[in-house]
Amino acid sequence: FAPFNQIRFNYPVDIYTTEDGMNIDIACVGVDKKDLDIKIEGDILRVEYKKEASEDEPKIDYIQKGIARRAFNMGWRISRRYDLGKLDAKLENGLLQLHMPTTAESKPKKVTIK
Protein backbone atom coordinates (compact mmCIF):
# COMPACT_ATOMS: atom_id res chain seq x y z
CA PHE A 1 0.00 0.00 0.00
CA ALA A 2 1.12 3.54 -0.73
CA PRO A 3 1.61 6.12 2.04
CA PHE A 4 -1.57 8.03 2.94
CA ASN A 5 -0.41 11.23 1.26
CA GLN A 6 0.07 9.40 -2.08
CA ILE A 7 -3.30 7.62 -2.19
CA ARG A 8 -6.00 8.98 -4.49
CA PHE A 9 -9.54 7.71 -3.90
CA ASN A 10 -12.43 7.95 -6.32
CA TYR A 11 -14.74 7.73 -3.34
CA PRO A 12 -15.31 10.45 -0.69
CA VAL A 13 -13.10 9.52 2.28
CA ASP A 14 -11.64 11.61 5.11
CA ILE A 15 -8.72 10.23 7.14
CA TYR A 16 -7.55 12.18 10.16
CA THR A 17 -6.02 11.78 13.60
CA THR A 18 -7.04 13.20 16.95
CA GLU A 19 -5.39 13.00 20.37
CA ASP A 20 -7.11 9.68 21.06
CA GLY A 21 -6.67 7.90 17.71
CA MET A 22 -7.20 7.68 13.97
CA ASN A 23 -10.50 8.23 12.21
CA ILE A 24 -11.73 7.27 8.76
CA ASP A 25 -15.02 8.74 7.52
CA ILE A 26 -16.55 7.27 4.35
CA ALA A 27 -19.58 8.76 2.58
CA CYS A 28 -22.22 6.02 2.33
CA VAL A 29 -25.38 7.83 1.25
CA GLY A 30 -28.14 5.34 0.54
CA VAL A 31 -26.07 2.39 1.78
CA ASP A 32 -27.55 -0.01 4.33
CA LYS A 33 -25.15 -1.17 7.05
CA LYS A 34 -25.96 -4.81 6.27
CA ASP A 35 -24.39 -4.27 2.83
CA LEU A 36 -21.06 -3.06 4.29
CA ASP A 37 -18.26 -5.48 5.09
CA ILE A 38 -15.45 -4.40 7.44
CA LYS A 39 -12.52 -6.81 7.83
CA ILE A 40 -9.28 -6.72 9.79
CA GLU A 41 -6.52 -8.95 8.40
CA GLY A 42 -3.36 -8.47 10.45
CA ASP A 43 -2.54 -4.77 10.10
CA ILE A 44 -4.85 -4.28 7.09
CA LEU A 45 -8.24 -2.63 7.51
CA ARG A 46 -10.58 -3.31 4.58
CA VAL A 47 -14.01 -1.75 3.96
CA GLU A 48 -16.15 -3.08 1.12
CA TYR A 49 -19.55 -2.30 -0.30
CA LYS A 50 -20.81 -4.50 -3.10
CA LYS A 51 -24.48 -4.30 -3.90
CA GLU A 52 -25.80 -6.54 -6.62
CA ALA A 53 -28.65 -5.24 -8.75
CA SER A 54 -31.91 -6.82 -7.67
CA GLU A 55 -34.58 -7.97 -10.08
CA ASP A 56 -37.17 -6.55 -7.64
CA GLU A 57 -35.84 -3.01 -8.05
CA PRO A 58 -37.84 -0.95 -10.52
CA LYS A 59 -36.18 0.21 -13.73
CA ILE A 60 -35.61 3.95 -13.28
CA ASP A 61 -35.15 6.42 -16.11
CA TYR A 62 -32.94 9.07 -14.47
CA ILE A 63 -33.05 12.68 -15.61
CA GLN A 64 -30.01 13.34 -13.41
CA LYS A 65 -28.09 10.81 -11.32
CA GLY A 66 -25.83 12.57 -8.82
CA ILE A 67 -25.88 10.16 -5.89
CA ALA A 68 -23.21 7.54 -6.44
CA ARG A 69 -24.18 4.20 -4.95
CA ARG A 70 -21.30 2.46 -6.61
CA ALA A 71 -19.44 -0.44 -5.09
CA PHE A 72 -16.11 0.15 -3.38
CA ASN A 73 -13.34 -1.94 -1.87
CA MET A 74 -10.79 0.08 0.08
CA GLY A 75 -7.96 -1.02 2.30
CA TRP A 76 -5.34 0.60 4.47
CA ARG A 77 -2.26 -0.69 6.26
CA ILE A 78 -2.72 0.64 9.80
CA SER A 79 0.26 1.48 11.97
CA ARG A 80 0.71 -0.54 15.18
CA ARG A 81 0.32 2.81 16.89
CA TYR A 82 -3.46 2.31 16.56
CA ASP A 83 -5.40 -0.56 18.15
CA LEU A 84 -7.37 -2.31 15.38
CA GLY A 85 -8.71 -4.73 17.99
CA LYS A 86 -10.71 -1.84 19.46
CA LEU A 87 -12.05 -0.55 16.13
CA ASP A 88 -15.37 1.25 16.57
CA ALA A 89 -17.66 1.57 13.52
CA LYS A 90 -20.95 3.40 13.19
CA LEU A 91 -23.12 4.41 10.25
CA GLU A 92 -25.08 7.58 10.87
CA ASN A 93 -26.71 10.03 8.43
CA GLY A 94 -24.97 8.44 5.43
CA LEU A 95 -21.49 8.61 6.98
CA LEU A 96 -19.56 5.47 8.00
CA GLN A 97 -17.28 6.51 10.86
CA LEU A 98 -14.39 4.27 11.88
CA HIS A 99 -12.29 5.04 14.96
CA MET A 100 -9.13 3.25 16.08
CA PRO A 101 -7.78 4.37 19.45
CA THR A 102 -4.10 4.97 20.01
CA THR A 103 -2.40 2.05 21.78
CA ALA A 104 -1.17 2.59 25.33
CA GLU A 105 2.37 1.69 24.24
CA SER A 106 2.50 4.49 21.67
CA LYS A 107 1.42 7.28 24.02
CA PRO A 108 4.24 9.58 25.13
CA LYS A 109 6.06 8.52 28.28
CA LYS A 110 7.96 10.70 30.70
CA VAL A 111 11.51 9.55 31.36
CA THR A 112 13.19 10.49 34.63
CA ILE A 113 16.87 11.39 34.40
CA LYS A 114 19.04 9.63 36.99
Side-chain angles (χ1 to χ4, degrees):
F1 289 94
F4 284 131
N5 61 352
Q6 295 178 5
I7 296 174
R8 298 279 190 259
F9 289 107
N10 292 331
Y11 208 85
V13 175
D14 288 341
I15 301 173
Y16 57 97
T17 59
T18 57
E19 287 183 12
D20 63 336
M22 181 191 302
N23 302 279
I24 301 175
D25 294 345
I26 304 170
C28 293
V29 175
V31 175
D32 193 314
K33 66 181 175 183
K34 69 178 174 26
D35 296 324
L36 289 166
D37 193 18
I38 301 172
K39 295 179 185 173
I40 299 171
E41 301 163 352
D43 62 349
I44 303 294
L45 171 62
R46 184 157 304 284
V47 181
E48 182 176 8
Y49 168 65
K50 186 175 181 182
K51 178 94 170 152
E52 302 293 327
S54 171
E55 293 178 12
D56 298 338
E57 292 180 15
K59 178 85 170 147
I60 299 174
D61 220 4
Y62 286 98
I63 295 169
Q64 177 178 334
K65 186 168 183 352
I67 300 173
R69 292 184 181 97
R70 64 188 182 271
F72 59 80
N73 186 342
M74 297 178 277
W76 300 271
R77 183 177 309 275
I78 304 298
S79 166
R80 291 184 191 149
R81 175 181 183 169
Y82 304 103
D83 192 346
L84 275 173
K86 294 182 180 174
L87 175 73
D88 180 46
K90 68 180 178 178
L91 180 63
E92 190 173 294
N93 297 325
L95 188 65
L96 175 62
Q97 298 173 309
L98 307 173
H99 174 74
M100 294 144 282
T102 307
T103 60
E105 297 83 33
S106 69
K107 292 184 180 172
K109 297 172 183 70
K110 184 168 173 86
V111 177
T112 305
I113 301 173
K114 297 179 185 178

